[in-house]
């Protein structure tokens, strides 16, 4: 068990029982106070020492989108009161994050032009903000003060000032976005003025005995922005001016340096927090430093604390994946933690829009009220069969078992996981195997009987109360004329033996699976040196989320992978693949051609079950492979498992049902 993690620490007057806090996440659920409260209640009960809310905008101009909480408007108290009651009732502590987007705001939210230090175009909001006047600056300082006072009066245990990730305060600190020559800019010292003024305004509003955390940038990673030395100097100034703790952020939305994606190694940026901690010590300033980014287990947090990189570790997405990450680890059950895989698909990608945030591997996140954990022991003869142990089947089996329904989980291969087993072999996606580890341990704990290497027929399934078919997908066939004996493999075969494909590989397809395959091939010692992706369409990496796509395409380019959008495969020849672009017909030399042009449903049992009137439901890729992704698969597993559990536990059950559930 981690030692340093479970030692107390004080953030100024705020005493924490251990050193793991839940970082701020915008949830797009602020329109539903009860859902918000239920979400935070589970994280408090699960052991977070401190929870920081999603950003609460101090004004409409500063909102990051239409669903941001507006702390200084009358409705804020009604939205936040249930959350405060829930967290405190669970024995937890919670801080409100004070937020202003600056040039990252969107005029479409409230019809207000974004405001910033200077008129510098934002590639994130795709707009040029208005340069703030002196009067507007003073008004924003007053807004921060009012927001802090409101948080204190409502009963929050602390506030956190959002001063990193390229938002307004960070914009004032950066020479890239602050072109002013008045007292608010012009040199590094004057660019500190606004961040320090915000701290002074907040401190003046809440008094010296109220905890104030400051999230400041450790590294912007944008060309022409603040140097690392300037970021450290600002951190020292903030600590000296009265911040009770510094939470260190990494990168901007406009940065081309990955910071939170799965391809970033675990704890990669904790050294930045460590350098700020060292700078504080060198300046004789003693305040706790909070580090974050790509720490998804308490074991990794322990390593960071032991290395002196931080005093506290902030985890955000890991609390989405498993609200009990702290409690389970403390009980010595780390093997039962549902680990964050940094896919960003249901969390960060959604937070950048208006869709409610959840979690790919934990689709209950944010929907705790809709899917309560209620266990009701059902009659022993109401056993359910789940056929297929990919994401949809795993989640369906777990959901049913959590509700007390006996489950048999059949899988034709020798292990669970489905296409997660392929993803986990890709460099930078090893955490996908942690999801398999979680279900391999959690399902037996819940009583699920896992039956690998079994493909039951309709007769074998006839005795079940219901059958869930989650048999997944198969690679889409690509009919092509062939001359000669050049090997043609589907993506499953290529994943299984990447080193056997030769030095030159042409992949037909350029969606998520094809991109993953290219990453695997270029990262395999002795594997292909020449990899080409082609597709008929014009977008490489279609279906990969916006926060990840640019990073993996950047990685492929650095590895020398050739991408050919707008290209149609014509024929496999002895020398390679003949293909047509808009301009010409070309021969792409290859030792192997790989088919990765999508999937088709694999559903061999449905007709037979219907013929024998065996109640069944088809989910996941077996139902529809178009636009298939793991988010949808896990969602369907949760929704189908929950619905079926409720049906089975009604007095009549559905044992004799002759029609599939919808």
């Amino acid at each position: 068990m981690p030692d340093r993690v479970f030692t107390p620490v004080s953030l100024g007057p705020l005493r924490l029982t251990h050193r793991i806090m839940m970082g701020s996440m915008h949830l797009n659920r602020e329109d539903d106070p009860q859902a918000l409260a239920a979400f935070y209640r589970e994280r408090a009960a699960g052991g977070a020492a401190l929870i920081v809310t999603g950003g609460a905008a101090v004004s409409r101009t500063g909102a990051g989108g239409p669903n941001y909480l507006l702390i200084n408007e009358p409705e804020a108290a009604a939205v936040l009161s249930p959350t405060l009651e829930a967290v405190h009732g669970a024995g937890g502590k919670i801080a409100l994050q004070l937020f202003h987007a600056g040039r990252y705001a969107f005029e479409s939210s409230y019809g207000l032009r974004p405001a910033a230090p200077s008129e510098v175009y934002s590639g994130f909001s795709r707009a040029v903000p208005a340069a703030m006047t002196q009067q507007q600056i003073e008004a924003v300082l007053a807004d921060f003060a009012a927001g802090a006072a409101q948080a204190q009066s409502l009963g929050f245990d602390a506030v956190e000032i959002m001063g990193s990730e390229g938002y307004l305060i960070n914009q004032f600190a950066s020479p890239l976005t602050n072109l002013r020559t008045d007292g608010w800019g012009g040199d590094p010292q004057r660019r500190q003025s606004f961040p320090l003024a915000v701290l002074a305004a907040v401190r003046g509003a809440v008094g010296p005995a109220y905890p104030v955390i400051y999230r400041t940038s450790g590294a912007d990673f944008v060309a022409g922005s603040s140097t690392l030395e300037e970021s450290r100097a600002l951190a020292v100034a903030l600590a000296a001016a009265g911040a009770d703790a510094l939470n260190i952020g990494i990168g901007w939305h406009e940065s081309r340096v990955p910071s939170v994606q799965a391809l970033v190694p675990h704890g990669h940026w904790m050294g930045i927090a460590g350098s700020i901690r060292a700078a504080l010590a060198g300046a004789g300033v003693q305040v706790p430093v909070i580090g974050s980014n790509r720490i998804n287990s308490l074991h990794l947090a322990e390593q960071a604390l032991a290395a002196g990189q931080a005093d506290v570790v902030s985890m955000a997405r890991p609390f989405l994946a498993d609200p009990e990450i702290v409690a389970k680890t403390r009980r010595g059950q780390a093997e039962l933690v549902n680990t964050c895989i940094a896919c960003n698909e249901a969390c960060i990608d959604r937070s950048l829009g208006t869709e409610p945030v959840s979690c790919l591997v934990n689709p209950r996140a944010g929907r705790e009220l809709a899917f309560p954990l209620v266990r009701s022991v059902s009659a022993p003869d109401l056993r359910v069969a789940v056929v297929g142990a990919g994401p949809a089947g795993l989640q369906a089996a777990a959901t049913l078992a959590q509700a007390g329904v006996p489950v048999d989980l059949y899988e034709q291969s020798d292990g669970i996981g489905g296409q997660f087993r392929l993803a986990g072999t890709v460099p930078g996606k090893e955490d996908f195997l942690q999801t398999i580890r979680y279900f391999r341990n959690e399902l037996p704990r819940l009583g699920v009987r896992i039956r690998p290497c079994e493909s039951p027929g309709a007769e074998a399934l006839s005795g079940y109360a219901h059958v869930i078919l989650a048999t997944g997908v198969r690679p889409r066939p690509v009919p092509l004329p062939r001359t000669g004996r050049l090997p043609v493999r589907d993506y499953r075969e290529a994943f299984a033996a990447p080193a056997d494909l030769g030095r030159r590989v042409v992949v037909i397809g350029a969606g998520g699976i094809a991109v993953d395959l290219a990453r695997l091939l270029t990262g395999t010692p002795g594997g292909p040196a020449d990899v080409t992706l082609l597709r008929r369409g014009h977008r490489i990496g279609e279906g990969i989320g916006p926060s990840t796509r640019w990073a993996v395409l950047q990685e492929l380019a650095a590895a020398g992978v050739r991408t050919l959008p707008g290209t149609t495969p014509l024929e496999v020849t002895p020398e390679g693949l003949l293909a047509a672009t808009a301009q010409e017909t070309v021969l792409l030399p290859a030792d192997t051609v790989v088919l990765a042009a999508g999937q088709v449903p694999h559903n061999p049992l449905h007709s037979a079950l219907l013929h024998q009137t065996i109640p069944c439901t088809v989910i996941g890729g077996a139902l529809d492979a178009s636009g298939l992704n793991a988010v949808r698969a896990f969602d369907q597993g949760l929704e189908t498992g929950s619905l079926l559990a409720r049906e089975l536990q009604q007095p009549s059950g559905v044992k004799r049902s002759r029609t599939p559930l919808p």
Side-chain angles (χ1 to χ4, degrees):
M1 179 181 295
D3 295 324
R4 292 170 182 82
V5 160
F6 291 116
T7 58
V9 64
S10 294
L11 310 183
L14 181 64
R15 183 72 168 171
L16 303 183
T17 58
H18 61 79
R19 295 172 184 250
I20 302 296
M21 60 182 273
M22 176 178 149
S24 175
M25 293 177 285
H26 177 57
L27 300 173
N28 277 330
R29 294 188 182 275
E30 285 73 8
D31 61 340
D32 189 338
Q34 297 305 320
L36 199 66
F39 171 82
Y40 285 124
R41 179 189 296 112
E42 284 204 6
R43 276 78 197 162
L50 174 68
I51 293 170
V52 182
T53 68
V58 298
S59 69
R60 292 195 172 205
T61 304
N67 295 331
Y68 271 66
L69 177 74
L70 302 170
I71 183 60
N72 289 324
E73 298 203 1
E75 297 80 8
V79 172
L80 293 171
S81 292
T83 287
L84 284 161
E85 181 179 351
V87 170
H88 290 152
K93 293 182 170 66
I94 186 166
L96 182 84
Q97 187 184 80
L98 301 170
F99 176 92
H100 194 298
R103 64 195 277 272
Y104 280 173
F106 297 90
E107 187 169 349
S108 59
S109 296
Y110 294 105
L112 301 170
R113 184 181 178 187
S118 304
E119 293 184 350
V120 178
Y121 175 78
S122 166
F124 177 70
S125 61
R126 302 183 187 278
V128 176
M132 295 169 66
T133 64
Q134 177 66 27
Q135 183 178 9
Q136 288 172 324
I137 290 173
E138 292 172 358
V140 169
L141 294 174
D143 289 336
F144 271 100
Q150 172 77 321
Q152 185 182 38
S153 67
L154 287 173
F156 279 93
D157 300 287
V159 291
E160 177 178 87
I161 300 169
M162 177 40 141
S164 67
E165 271 81 8
Y167 294 113
L168 179 68
I169 296 173
N170 206 171
Q171 293 160 25
F172 267 95
S174 169
L176 183 65
T177 48
N178 185 347
L179 309 181
R180 306 175 75 99
T181 57
D182 58 6
W184 303 106
D187 56 49
Q189 194 69 29
R190 284 183 286 173
R191 286 194 295 271
Q192 292 182 4
S193 299
F194 186 77
L196 291 169
V198 172
L199 176 58
V202 167
R203 180 59 75 197
V206 298
Y210 187 72
V212 177
I213 304 166
Y214 210 115
R215 184 167 175 87
T216 187
S217 179
D220 297 344
F221 290 135
V222 180
S225 195
S226 303
T227 65
L228 294 177
E229 291 74 17
E230 289 170 348
S231 295
R232 286 194 286 266
L234 175 58
V236 170
L238 291 168
D244 290 308
L246 297 180
N247 191 354
I248 309 306
I250 300 292
W252 288 15
H253 288 303
E254 293 158 296
S255 171
R256 295 296 91 179
V257 177
S259 59
V260 295
Q261 293 79 2
L263 55 83
V264 178
H266 291 139
H268 184 70
W269 300 120
M270 288 296 292
I272 299 290
S275 70
I276 288 179
R277 191 169 182 263
L280 294 177
V285 183
Q286 296 294 321
V287 301
V289 170
I290 303 166
S292 62
N293 286 39
R294 290 297 284 130
I295 300 285
N296 64 352
S297 72
L298 267 64
H299 172 71
L300 290 169
E302 178 74 13
Q303 290 181 345
L305 294 171
Q309 295 173 323
D311 301 286
V312 177
V313 173
S314 174
M315 299 180 180
R317 294 171 297 170
F319 278 98
L320 282 174
D322 196 328
E324 292 189 276
I325 182 174
V326 171
K328 288 177 179 178
T329 306
R330 195 164 211 164
R331 293 195 300 262
Q333 297 177 318
E335 75 280 1
L336 297 179
V337 171
N338 194 2
T339 300
C340 167
I341 62 175
C343 66
N344 296 346
E345 293 184 36
C347 52
I348 292 177
D349 289 345
R350 290 183 178 179
S351 74
L352 299 176
T354 58
E355 190 176 359
V357 163
S358 187
C359 177
L360 183 150
V361 299
N362 176 23
R364 277 192 72 247
R367 299 190 289 175
E368 290 77 12
L369 291 181
F371 299 100
L373 293 175
V374 178
R375 188 172 181 86
S376 302
V377 178
S378 61
D381 63 337
L382 294 181
R383 180 170 288 274
V384 170
V386 178
V387 184
L394 292 171
Q395 185 62 55
T399 303
L400 285 161
Q402 285 167 343
V405 177
V407 178
D408 288 344
L409 176 61
Y410 292 90
E411 170 55 45
Q412 69 172 7
S413 71
D414 60 358
I416 66 173
Q419 295 206 153
F420 261 44
R421 296 174 74 178
L422 304 183
T425 66
V426 177
K429 298 184 77 169
E430 294 86 356
D431 279 345
F432 280 60
L433 300 180
Q434 294 299 321
T435 302
I436 298 175
R437 180 267 310 152
Y438 163 71
F439 280 106
R440 190 165 52 235
N441 293 317
E442 177 70 358
L443 292 177
R445 187 190 73 83
L446 294 171
V448 175
R449 299 193 306 208
I450 301 175
R451 305 178 68 163
C453 301
E454 290 193 42
S455 298
E459 290 296 332
L461 297 171
S462 61
Y464 287 97
H466 203 88
V467 178
I468 294 177
L469 297 174
T471 43
V473 297
R474 293 291 183 268
R476 180 184 297 279
V478 181
L480 284 174
R482 296 179 61 180
T483 58
R485 297 189 177 185
L486 188 75
V488 177
R489 305 281 184 258
D490 66 41
Y491 66 78
R492 293 183 305 168
E493 296 168 320
F495 269 98
D500 296 343
L501 303 179
R503 303 297 291 166
R504 302 169 302 172
V505 176
V506 174
V507 181
I508 298 175
I513 290 177
V515 167
D516 274 354
L517 178 59
R519 295 174 62 198
L520 173 65
L521 297 180
T522 55
T524 299
D530 183 347
V531 178
T532 300
L533 302 181
L534 65 90
R535 66 166 299 177
R536 298 175 189 268
H538 294 277
R539 183 176 172 84
I540 303 297
E542 185 73 39
I544 301 176
S547 67
T548 300
R549 178 177 174 270
W550 67 267
V552 297
L553 294 188
Q554 184 173 277
E555 182 185 57
L556 291 187
V561 174
R562 180 167 50 164
T563 55
L564 300 176
T567 302
T568 302
L570 299 176
E571 180 182 349
V572 179
T573 75
E575 293 78 27
L577 180 70
L578 197 65
T581 69
Q583 294 78 30
E584 59 181 340
T585 298
V586 296
L587 177 67
L588 304 174
D591 298 311
T592 304
V593 172
V594 177
L595 307 180
Q599 304 87 37
V600 294
H602 177 65
N603 188 8
L605 285 170
H606 192 212
S607 295
L609 294 181
L610 291 180
H611 180 72
Q612 297 191 31
T613 63
I614 299 172
C616 61
T617 304
V618 186
I619 63 174
L623 176 65
D624 181 9
S626 61
L628 179 67
N629 60 43
V631 172
R632 194 175 84 194
F634 277 103
D635 277 351
Q636 288 183 1
L638 172 67
E639 292 162 3
T640 300
S642 297
L643 175 61
L644 181 56
R646 290 195 297 269
E647 294 281 356
L648 288 170
Q649 290 165 357
Q650 290 177 0
S652 59
V654 295
K655 183 180 179 183
R656 305 301 175 210
S657 171
R658 300 306 185 196
T659 58
L661 292 174

